[in-house]
Amino acid sequence: MLDPALLRGHLAETAKRLATRGYTLDVAALEAIEAQRKSAQTETQELQNLRNTRSKAIGVAKGKGEDASALLAEVAGIGDKLKANEQHLAEIQAKLADIALGMPNLPHESAPVGDDETGNVEQHRWGTPRAFDFAVKDHVELGAHKGWLDGDTGAKLSGARFTVLRGELARLHRALAQFMLDLHTTEHGYLECNVPLLVNADAMQGTGQLPKFEEDLFATEVGETKRYLIPTAEVSLTNIVREEIVEADKLPLRMAAHSLCFRAEAGSHGRDTRGMIRQHQFEKVELVSIAKPAESFAEHERMTRCAEVVLEKLGLPYRRVLLCTGDMGFTATKTFDLEVWLPSQNTYREISSCSNCTDFQARRMHARWRNPETGKPELVHTLNGSGVAVGRALIAVMENYQNVDGSITVPAALRQYMGGAERIA
């Protein structure tokens, strides 16, 4: 959530910045509700003071042996009105909270202004796309050998956007996840975590999936208990510090997890229906950092670099893109996307997204750190990034390392996880 001070003291400027994200803030309506809140809060405080004053007068009267019945009746009337006022104030505050929960984070000043992905700005490229001397196959054609990649069986089991992997391709998929985890934990300093795939609504709200994106989530209900399948391990990892105060010497807290991820892809009908590009169930190695506010943008650069190293060690050409205001995720203030080269599409496709959310998620989660200079708790900054998407890395390896006979050369970095195999065929 945004700082309430922005909505009270800098409403016009906040609305202007939100507009660059395609979010229209009804300033007049919010000002009207805020005026109601101030009025109700002032009246409530006055009633509380009046009740306290009259209660003291009752004590004095009784102490003197005087008749306090009139004062008692007045206090009872004040109590009834106070209760009604408190309920009215709570309703207004709930309305303001609902509005605040629907607002995206403010874009950082370095984020380019734009409406969609066409406004993104390329930062740099690494690697040279391979020149093939034969007709390039896409990952679906390559995976058809021996039924390694089977969308038909996935559809039979679960419906569209599910896939079954078999044999050496399934092993290569597993090898990628193991390689990424080992790299991030041994070389990049992330703590490996194994986290729940099912979380409660508080966790989803803490990282911004609820209430705005409920239609994109899978949920389970057992009795009266509702839990959500995580769309990314970011949810579980970031919520570890929910309602906690982290000591300064523990920051930055860097965590990594390999997990299944579940997304209903409700807004993506008709997009990337072929193969594994956009699945309801997929795997990802997620990176999360909990940082001091003064260090979060340096941590953002570091996290993005950690994801880049994955692609470089795999020998996959990629480019880094700074997302514009209209293409960033709901909770992000600044985002770098890494896009990997896919020969079959002759273009770069997203494989990692690294975002600094500043204190936006922390305010929802009441996640804080103790500033040693003041001794007081302050909101942390939260960051998350893909390090990287396992399924899309598999696609990139298949296509970039394919051979004319349909076999796939195993990148050197993965061979220790593949029993030393140099190719799969």
Side-chain angles (χ1 to χ4, degrees), residues 132-167:
F132 291 86
D133 57 4
F134 58 87
V136 170
K137 296 182 175 70
D138 70 9
H139 73 284
V140 179
E141 294 172 290
L142 291 165
H145 293 291
K146 301 182 182 179
W148 278 352
L149 192 159
D150 187 349
D152 291 338
T153 299
K156 180 178 73 173
L157 297 175
S158 304
R161 298 187 189 274
F162 289 92
T163 300
V164 172
L165 295 179
R166 297 189 182 95

Side-chain angles (χ1 to χ4, degrees), residues 172-236:
L172 185 60
H173 184 269
R174 172 163 54 90
L176 281 161
Q178 290 178 304
F179 157 69
M180 293 175 203
L181 272 180
D182 285 350
L183 175 64
H184 292 312
T185 56
T186 62
E187 295 188 25
H188 296 159
Y190 286 86
L191 174 68
E192 182 175 351
C193 301
N194 190 298
V195 294
L197 303 181
L198 285 167
V199 298
N200 56 35
D202 288 342
M204 285 292 193
Q205 180 172 297
T207 45
Q209 282 75 26
L210 289 178
K212 184 173 177 60
F213 301 105
E214 182 151 15
E215 67 172 6
D216 294 332
L217 303 173
F218 287 104
T220 67
E221 289 191 53
V222 179
E224 297 182 358
T225 302
K226 184 174 184 178
R227 294 187 179 90
Y228 294 86
L229 288 160
I230 59 171
T232 163
E234 168 205 344
V235 177
S236 301

Side-chain angles (χ1 to χ4, degrees), residues 62-370:
K62 286 184 175 181
K64 294 180 179 180
E66 298 173 354
D67 181 12
S69 57
L71 287 171
L72 286 167
E74 184 180 1
V75 168
I78 293 171
D80 292 339
K81 188 170 184 181
L82 179 59
K83 185 176 180 180
N85 266 52
E86 288 173 338
Q87 182 176 345
H88 179 54
L89 178 60
E91 290 171 354
I92 295 172
Q93 289 172 329
K95 187 182 295 185
L96 287 170
D98 286 343
I99 294 172
L101 284 172
M103 291 182 192
N105 201 354
L106 294 179
H108 189 257
E109 58 186 14
S110 63
V113 176
D115 296 331
D116 52 37
E117 61 185 17
T118 60
N120 297 340
V121 178
E122 182 177 312
Q123 304 289 287
H124 60 249
R125 296 188 181 194
W126 182 92
T128 301
R130 174 184 168 189
F132 291 86
D133 57 4
F134 58 87
V136 170
K137 296 182 175 70
D138 70 9
H139 73 284
V140 179
E141 294 172 290
L142 291 165
H145 293 291
K146 301 182 182 179
W148 278 352
L149 192 159
D150 187 349
D152 291 338
T153 299
K156 180 178 73 173
L157 297 175
S158 304
R161 298 187 189 274
F162 289 92
T163 300
V164 172
L165 295 179
R166 297 189 182 95
E168 291 302 287
L169 196 63
R171 186 178 186 181
L172 185 60
H173 184 269
R174 172 163 54 90
L176 281 161
Q178 290 178 304
F179 157 69
M180 293 175 203
L181 272 180
D182 285 350
L183 175 64
H184 292 312
T185 56
T186 62
E187 295 188 25
H188 296 159
Y190 286 86
L191 174 68
E192 182 175 351
C193 301
N194 190 298
V195 294
L197 303 181
L198 285 167
V199 298
N200 56 35
D202 288 342
M204 285 292 193
Q205 180 172 297
T207 45
Q209 282 75 26
L210 289 178
K212 184 173 177 60
F213 301 105
E214 182 151 15
E215 67 172 6
D216 294 332
L217 303 173
F218 287 104
T220 67
E221 289 191 53
V222 179
E224 297 182 358
T225 302
K226 184 174 184 178
R227 294 187 179 90
Y228 294 86
L229 288 160
I230 59 171
T232 163
E234 168 205 344
V235 177
S236 301
L237 289 172
T238 309
N239 273 277
I240 287 174
V241 297
R242 176 161 54 98
E243 298 172 358
E244 300 282 342
I245 299 175
V246 185
E247 295 303 323
D249 60 0
K250 302 294 184 183
L251 300 177
L253 176 59
R254 299 176 179 132
M255 299 173 284
H258 165 228
S259 78
L260 289 164
C261 306
F262 304 88
R263 293 183 188 174
E265 297 289 357
S268 303
H269 294 297
R271 294 185 61 194
D272 298 314
T273 56
R274 179 175 167 81
M276 292 178 60
I277 292 286
R278 194 178 295 273
Q279 298 273 281
H280 289 314
Q281 174 186 307
F282 58 98
E283 294 180 38
K284 190 151 60 102
V285 172
E286 185 73 3
L287 307 177
V288 162
S289 290
I290 311 299
K292 300 174 184 176
E295 300 173 355
S296 69
F297 285 98
E299 186 70 12
H300 186 211
E301 288 285 344
R302 182 188 188 278
M303 174 181 284
T304 307
R305 181 63 196 143
C306 289
E308 288 178 337
V309 170
V310 173
L311 302 178
E312 291 173 13
K313 285 185 176 291
L314 291 173
L316 297 172
Y318 71 88
R319 66 174 190 162
R320 184 200 284 201
V321 175
L322 175 61
L323 297 196
C324 71
T325 54
D327 199 32
M328 286 194 300
F330 180 77
T331 61
T333 190
K334 184 176 182 179
T335 298
F336 291 118
D337 270 9
L338 302 183
E339 298 177 350
V340 70
W341 179 257
L342 294 187
S344 69
Q345 298 185 17
N346 198 39
T347 192
Y348 292 93
R349 294 298 303 269
E350 179 196 339
I351 194 170
S352 173
S353 190
C354 299
S355 298
N356 187 354
C357 301
T358 57
D359 60 8
F360 186 85
Q361 293 176 325
R363 185 169 285 104
R364 289 169 169 247
M365 297 187 301
H366 305 289
R368 297 169 291 171
W369 69 294
R370 194 178 306 281

